[in-house]
Structure formats: structure tokens, C-alpha cells
Amino acid sequence: MTDTERILEGLNDEQRRAVETTSGPVAIIAGAGSGKTRVVSHRTAYAVATGVVPESQVLLVTFTEKAAGEMAARVRSLGLGRVMARTFHSAALAQLRSVWPSRHDGVELPEVLADKWRIVAPLARSLPGGSRFTPTKDLMDEIEWAKSRRITPSTYLARAAGRTPPTTPDLFVRLFHDYERAKERRGLIDFDDILRLTVELLETDEEVAFAVRSRYSWFTVDEYQDTTPLQVRLLELWLGDRRDICVVGDEDQTIYTFAGATPEHLVGFEHRYRDVRVIPLLTNYRSSPQVLGLANRLLASSGSPKRLRAVRGDGPDPVLRSFATAAQEEAWIVERISELLADDVPAGEVAVLLRLNAQTAGFEAALA
């Protein structure tokens, strides 16, 4: 087999179409469990093997560092040792660090604040009256939402009109302002600042913009439905007037709207690039037909035309239960787990999945 035949081996028809579409704007609508990581890595290998792009010019943008590591391992297994897989923040931070001293009289980039909690939590406790009980995470999320739209404390009231912050607007603006001042006093920047500073640098410094654009020419962005306006702007600046951009995502899997993400970037991709090729991946390799039947009914109820197809064998029907109180829910789950353990299901095979870490305490107490 040729190199390209090896790359295409084992792909289904829709995956193969996505892998072979290597130039110009492309949107891969990857349904859950459809093998998108395999598609992204093999598409990259196919583009390199067919001479579309040198591997050193490729940037694969992932949502998390863990995903970046997995993607890098996948492309290395295909013989691509120089392809770069990074998050938005990681790529931007590398760019900032490389040019910051030359633009600031030799001074290094400020230290990155690892966790907003260190600053926001004391500020939250200092709020007056009942506002001091406002959850710190809600305040942090609102700060991230604002900064993802390049909204500052001084512009928040005007640009976030109609939005309901975790506390009163005036108190939130005060806390937001105090947070920014505290960072400045300590010589820190946060993760949102990394993107903002990189965007501002690329917008105002043509020499830096040229250097960055000469580094990468072929982009793939995973989990595009969870990108923020600031990340989309950064991607536009990386891309310049070139068109080799592939976005991969699924608007029905958006989970980071609280931090400023919006699926409209994925949904609206066709409007920004009129000649985009849209390739859906709808064959699900992860779930049973029963699970996908429920998923498809939920999608239909929300107006989505997407219908996922199962290739795995039958499994048990999902059971949906609702409870009047958290205590009733916890008691039922403990009872169900006890039944599974009595049926010799290993405890390590049982999981309770929750939306927020804050919800774990009640279940941990009930199980204990």
C-alpha cells in the first residue's frame, strides 16, 4: 500500500471524505462518538503525505492540554513528529514569551496566575451584606465571560446591558476592577490576559504578526463550538488572508457558554466562508442503539436535524428518573448501587456523573 492508502485504511465513507478534504475552509460536524480525533489526525497525515502542507506548518488547536497531548501522540504514531498540537492559551503564551522582552525593554512576560480563586475569593468575602455569600465560582465565570468579549470593568455596564451578573452590577464592577488592580500590583496576568495581550500585539505590531503567520499556515481547531469571541479573533489573526482552516465541533455539545463560549461561531462558519465544505460525521462508535435512540429524540425535541447512527450491539434501555428533593435522588442512587454490587458488578465499574463538583458532597455522604 502507498502511504495515503495506509492513512485511509479502516475509515468509513464519511470519515474518508473528511480526511481527503485538505484545502480551503472546512467544517467537520462531528457527532458524539464519531471518531473525530482519528479523523483530525489522519486528515493531517493525508495533507502532509499529499504535499498540501509541510508538517512544520501545521497547528492543531485543541480545547485542553490533555486533548493536545492525545492529538500529538496520534499524529506521532502516523509519522508526524513536527506537527504542533496546542491549546489556544498554550500557543498564544509561547508567542507572547518569544517577543515580549523585545517590546518591553528586555522585561520578561509577567507570571501567569494559576487560579483566579486566590484573588477573587477574598474579594468576594469583602462584599457588603448578603453579597459576600455570592459563590466565588459565579464571580470568576462572569469575569471570564466579560474578558472573552474584551469587556473591561469600565465598559462592563454599557456592553453587558441586560445581563444579570452574580451580584448587583455595581458591586460586580467594583469586584472586577479590584481583581484587575490586584493582579497588576502583584505583577500577574491571568489566562484571559494571555489571549487578550496576544490579540492586541498581533493587531498593532505588523512585524510580530508577519513572524507568527510565517510559522503556521494550516490550521485545525477542535471543539470549535466552545470557542469564545476572543479565541475566534485570535484565530483570525493567526490565519490572516489565508484560507486553510478546518473547524471541528458539534453545536449540540456546547458546554462552556458560562465562560463566554457560543456555538454561533460554528453555526455561522458557513456565512463567514461561503465556499466552506461541511462534512457531517454521524456514525457513532461509542454508544448502544438504545442510548442513541434517546439522544436522537432529545436532538429532535430541540429542533436539531442531526440523527446519530449506531454500529454497536444492543444494550439496556436508559432509565430516566426525577425526584422532588436531592435527598430522595441520593437515596435512590445508593439503593441502585447496592443492587448492582449484590449482583456482583465490581464497584470500580459504577460511576455517578454530575454536572458540577459542588454537587458531589451530598452523594459522597450518602454513599459513605
Side-chain angles (χ1 to χ4, degrees), residues 113-287:
L113 175 65
D115 189 351
K116 289 185 181 71
W117 193 281
R118 287 168 43 192
I119 296 178
V120 177
L123 293 175
R125 290 193 295 269
S126 69
L127 291 173
S131 294
R132 68 180 182 276
F133 300 111
T134 305
T136 299
K137 185 181 184 304
D138 292 349
L139 296 166
M140 291 164 52
D141 288 345
E142 188 68 8
I143 291 172
E144 288 185 23
W145 178 90
K147 298 184 77 166
S148 75
R149 284 158 172 75
R150 303 171 79 174
I151 295 174
T152 65
S154 61
T155 63
Y156 181 88
L157 292 178
R159 295 188 57 194
R163 184 173 173 85
T164 304
T167 185
T168 62
D170 60 321
L171 286 178
F172 174 74
V173 168
R174 189 180 86 180
L175 179 138
F176 190 4
H177 184 265
D178 290 345
Y179 168 73
E180 294 296 321
R181 281 201 309 179
K183 281 196 293 118
E184 185 177 355
R185 285 196 305 269
R186 301 181 194 187
L188 299 171
I189 59 174
D190 61 22
F191 284 98
D192 307 303
D193 294 325
I194 292 172
L195 301 186
R196 175 184 61 81
L197 291 169
T198 306
V199 164
E200 291 175 356
L201 187 62
L202 296 177
E203 286 178 337
T204 58
D205 193 318
E206 282 298 323
E207 184 181 355
V208 171
F210 177 82
V212 168
R213 288 175 190 144
S214 65
R215 176 69 177 86
Y216 302 112
S217 63
W218 197 87
F219 300 85
T220 299
V221 183
D222 192 15
E223 304 290 6
Y224 193 69
Q225 78 280 354
D226 275 319
T227 52
T228 67
L230 190 57
Q231 289 169 333
V232 170
R233 178 57 181 154
L234 178 57
L235 181 61
E236 291 172 348
L237 292 165
W238 284 342
L239 193 62
D241 59 1
R242 298 165 299 180
R243 299 176 60 76
D244 282 330
I245 172 66
C246 174
V247 298
V248 185
D250 178 5
E251 69 273 19
D252 295 312
Q253 297 186 61
T254 306
I255 59 174
Y256 280 91
T257 52
F258 64 88
T262 169
E264 293 306 314
H265 297 136
L266 178 61
V267 174
F269 196 74
E270 295 179 63
H271 302 300
R272 291 196 299 281
Y273 297 94
R274 296 293 183 178
D275 58 338
V276 64
R277 282 167 286 184
V278 180
I279 304 171
L281 304 179
L282 299 177
T283 302
N284 178 288
Y285 292 90
R286 179 184 301 157
S287 304

